[in-house]
Amino acid sequence: MAADLRRLALTLGWLLICAWPMSARVLAAESLPQVAPTQPPSVVAAPSPVPPAPIPIERIAPSIAQTAHLLRVFSSQRVPGGAIEAIGDALPAVSAEFAADLERTLSMLQEQPSLEALQGTDQLWSSRQLALNAWLEILTGRVTRLQETLTQIAALRETWTLTREAAAAGGAPAPMLNQIDATLAQLAAAEPLDQARRDEALDLQGAIAREVARCETVRTRIQEVQQGTTGGLLARTSRPLWDPDLWRRGLAVLQVRAHQVYAAYQADLSAYLTNPATHMPVHLGVFVVVLATLLAARRRLPQCAAAGGDMARISIVFDRPVAAAALIALIAATTLWSPTPLRVKELLGALALVPMIVLVRPRVDRSLRPTLYALGLLFALDSVHHAFGGVPPVVGQVMIFGESLAAVGVVLRLFRHLKSAGGGDAASQPALHWVWRPLTGGVLVTLIIGLVASLFGRLELARLTTPAVLVGAADALWIYAAVEVSIAILAFALRTWPLQRLRLVANHREWLLSRFQRWFLWLAVLAWCFRYLDYLGLWQPTLTLVQQALAVRLTLGAFSTSAGDVLAFGLTLWAAYLVSAVLRFILEEEVYPRAGIATGVSYAASSLIQYTIGILAFFLALGFLGITLTQVTVFAGALGVGIGLGLQNVVQNFVAGLILLFEQPIHVGDAVQVGDLQGRVRRIGIRASVLRTLQGAEVIIPNSELTSNQVTNWTLSDQQRRLELPVGLAYGTAPAQVIALLEGVARDHPGVLPEPPPRCLFVGYGDSAINFELRVWADYDAASGVSSELAAAVYDAVNAAGLSFPFPQREVRLLADEKTSE
């Protein structure tokens, strides 16, 4: 907490220091040019090579007042401020701490430390160097401002000296000459004060620069040791494990080394528990807050279970709140940027395996749990190995040999389990054989190399094999447990208010959770790669190699770009696609339904937004390739020729698609008829639209046909459709009775809309019947069913009323043959 307050004070002080010179420059710019118009304004605002000129006699009096005001501004700048004072107060303690840590670091570097120890130590000195550079920047700014003040005072003295001489030669009155002398005296008195402040700032700046140089020296030494650890892997740095002399020398210093390790851990633990700068209270507060939050949230688990979905993953974390809170707090305490002492980090890292195993164990098959426990035990032993470092060598050599031997046994057991799980059939579980078998095989070979290397005294190779495998597995377990906790908390949050009130959460909760899980896994893989490469000391070389690969130029005629620009081009388009997809999803799930916007209008708006984002992203991506708007214009002109020759239909359909989206004669979901095709519009694309017919076929229709041909839209303004049912009854039936009967049947049908009301018309006389037509309105989707049901109801009602449907009657007259009649 004290360190945070100190940083806040430094920041506020820096802002105040930055504000003063700005105000001084503003006042100088506003005042002195008015005092002496013939003098360049740069005399006061900044040093100028133009020689100063005397101030005209009529401007001497106001210039004296303005110079006095400027001297008051310079006097206020002379005060160092809280940030500078805090730096001066903290520097002696920082220098003493750095001196002690430097001695411990150099002692550690002589003991053949592990890669993880080197990484943590380098990170510690790097963070210190960054803090010192921030101090150095503050002091550099102060020195620069004081030097500018001294330069301005010198220029003012010269200006007023010339003015004194010119005024005396011009016969100025004695009071005016006295005022000029007083001004010169004030300038002469201010100059040594500012010079003393500048010298103090320079001394403090030099002291900080020496500490920065010390950090740089230590980091250079760490880098050399790290390169020496990863280089010369095949060199023998110790005696073979069976050599008696190795054991005799090792046992002779083992007890002394054990006391040293105990004292070092005790000192770091004491510093962690007593020094607020190590953020132990913050880590404890994180544990308490997370634990209280999880305990409070666990009471709502029954309500979340009632909401449905998979609760197993949520219960894993919320049923073990102490383990989850401890894991989060330990992650905060052991990050690379945490000020926790290095040895305490190693201790807390080993301790974190307990909550990790507790949280991961329910997700692991029962037969694989002994492997999980063995991994935790091996990582704890490796932490002991790191504590002893390389003194005596036999300790590290024996521990690596034992770790390698035990790890080989664990991997062989795991390999047999995976083989039995596959059932010997590669087709039953292809992922098991094509992923896990090569992985376990590679790990097994690495462990055997570490086993042999430690046996024959090749310690550099041994340290880079077995401990690297254990650290990589422990980091994977760390990150997997963190992902499980994150997903469980997210799954719980998606079942609580106010997220549960969102339509996109209520309708797509499981889909959102699976998407977030996929992103978490990708981030976990990237985090593991970063940590592991940083542990091996390969992060910076890998980063440099990637930068060099991205800087490779790709030349095609006069066009030249780099691989990084091509990658930026693709990433920009991909990011635009993601943004448009997410925005469209939010609009369709949250905005449009709540605003009551029709489906067709919402689809048109979403399509236009998607096209706009895509076009803007395309032009932005072209900028990464180095293509200017002039080149785009030339390309568009050439493309216009191509359009005129062979792309007329494509452009015509594209323009027609825009017309459909803007004029909206057809919406997605409308029932339309185009020629002989009738169905629902499924999609209006940029070139063509998709129509699903009543028979279930999906027909792709070019947009130009929808704008140039006649299209019948059954549902443009509403979803109502009129049905006509012809009815023929026998002659002799009363038309009024039939009309009343048929309209009554239509009104009683639930699928017939009351408005407009059903209507029956007497339409004419047929050969065998008098013809009526029953006209009703129904919903478009239910029209076919209503027509069938209404016809059946009319048939029953006519029979029940004693009326009849006549059969067609034909009268045939036979004409006798004339010869027969004769």
Side-chain angles (χ1 to χ4, degrees), residues 5 31 44 82 84 162 172 177 212 220 312 337 342 352 414 445 466 546 556 561 604 629 659 679 799 806:
L5 293 176
S31 61
V44 174
I84 305 297
L162 294 175
L177 295 178
V212 172
T220 302
W337 302 274
L342 179 61
L414 178 63
V445 171
T466 300
V546 172
L556 183 61
T561 186
L629 291 178
I659 293 174
N799 289 330

Side-chain angles (χ1 to χ4, degrees), residues 54-326:
I55 300 174
I57 191 170
E58 69 273 8
R59 299 293 303 171
I60 289 178
S63 298
I64 290 174
Q66 293 173 357
T67 302
H69 176 73
L70 190 59
L71 286 175
R72 286 195 299 272
V73 173
F74 290 160
S75 177
S76 64
Q77 286 184 349
R78 203 174 296 134
V79 179
I84 305 297
E85 292 179 353
I87 293 174
D89 295 339
L91 186 58
V94 170
S95 298
E97 182 183 0
F98 281 17
D101 287 346
L102 177 62
E103 183 179 355
R104 287 196 294 266
T105 301
L106 295 178
S107 176
M108 181 199 69
L109 294 178
Q110 296 175 357
E111 298 173 357
Q112 298 179 347
S114 63
L115 290 174
E116 190 173 12
L118 290 173
Q119 172 201 6
T121 306
D122 181 70
Q123 188 65 36
L124 172 64
W125 285 99
S126 175
S127 61
R128 289 174 170 177
Q129 186 176 358
L130 289 175
L132 289 174
N133 284 330
W135 286 5
L136 196 61
E137 184 179 355
I138 294 174
L139 286 170
T140 301
R142 176 165 174 77
V143 170
T144 302
R145 290 189 296 274
L146 289 173
Q147 184 60 45
E148 290 177 354
T149 300
L150 288 172
T151 304
Q152 294 172 15
I153 290 176
L156 285 172
R157 286 184 60 187
E158 188 174 356
T159 300
W160 282 109
T161 301
L162 294 175
T163 303
R164 175 68 171 78
E165 296 174 355
M176 180 175 290
L177 295 178
N178 293 335
Q179 289 179 349
I180 295 175
D181 292 337
T183 300
L184 286 172
Q186 292 176 358
L187 291 171
E191 188 171 7
L193 296 177
D194 287 316
Q195 190 169 3
R197 290 295 186 180
R198 184 202 61 183
D199 294 340
E200 291 177 2
L202 284 173
D203 293 338
L204 191 58
Q205 184 186 34
I208 295 176
R210 287 191 294 272
E211 298 299 332
V212 172
R214 179 185 296 181
C215 293
E216 191 64 37
T217 302
V218 174
R219 294 192 65 193
T220 302
R221 178 58 182 156
I222 292 173
Q223 186 177 6
E224 292 175 355
V225 174
Q226 194 170 19
Q227 291 176 351
T229 302
T230 55
L233 296 178
L234 300 180
R236 192 175 73 174
T237 57
S238 179
R239 297 176 180 271
L241 199 56
W242 60 81
D243 192 335
D245 188 54
L246 175 68
W247 289 88
R248 183 170 58 256
R249 294 181 180 181
L251 295 177
V253 297
L254 180 59
Q255 186 175 4
V256 177
R257 180 59 180 165
H259 285 292
Q260 293 176 351
V261 171
Y262 175 76
Y265 271 89
Q266 187 179 24
D268 283 353
L269 277 173
S270 177
Y272 179 66
L273 295 175
T274 58
N275 187 2
T278 59
H279 289 182
M280 190 279 293
V282 176
H283 304 152
L284 184 60
V286 170
F287 172 77
V288 173
V289 171
V290 174
L291 179 60
T293 304
L294 293 178
L295 289 176
R298 189 169 64 172
R299 301 190 185 99
R300 302 195 59 181
L301 286 183
Q303 301 177 7
C304 295
D310 183 15
M311 293 293 297
R313 174 164 287 176
I314 300 178
S315 61
I316 288 176
V317 173
F318 287 90
D319 289 346
R320 299 162 181 83
V322 177

Side-chain angles (χ1 to χ4, degrees), residues 502-520:
L502 298 176
R503 295 173 58 92
L504 59 90
V505 173
N507 299 333
H508 306 279
R509 183 175 57 241
E510 298 301 326
W511 180 83
L512 288 174
L513 187 60
S514 64
R515 291 290 178 176
F516 277 109
Q517 180 180 357
R518 182 182 302 176
W519 281 103
F520 284 163

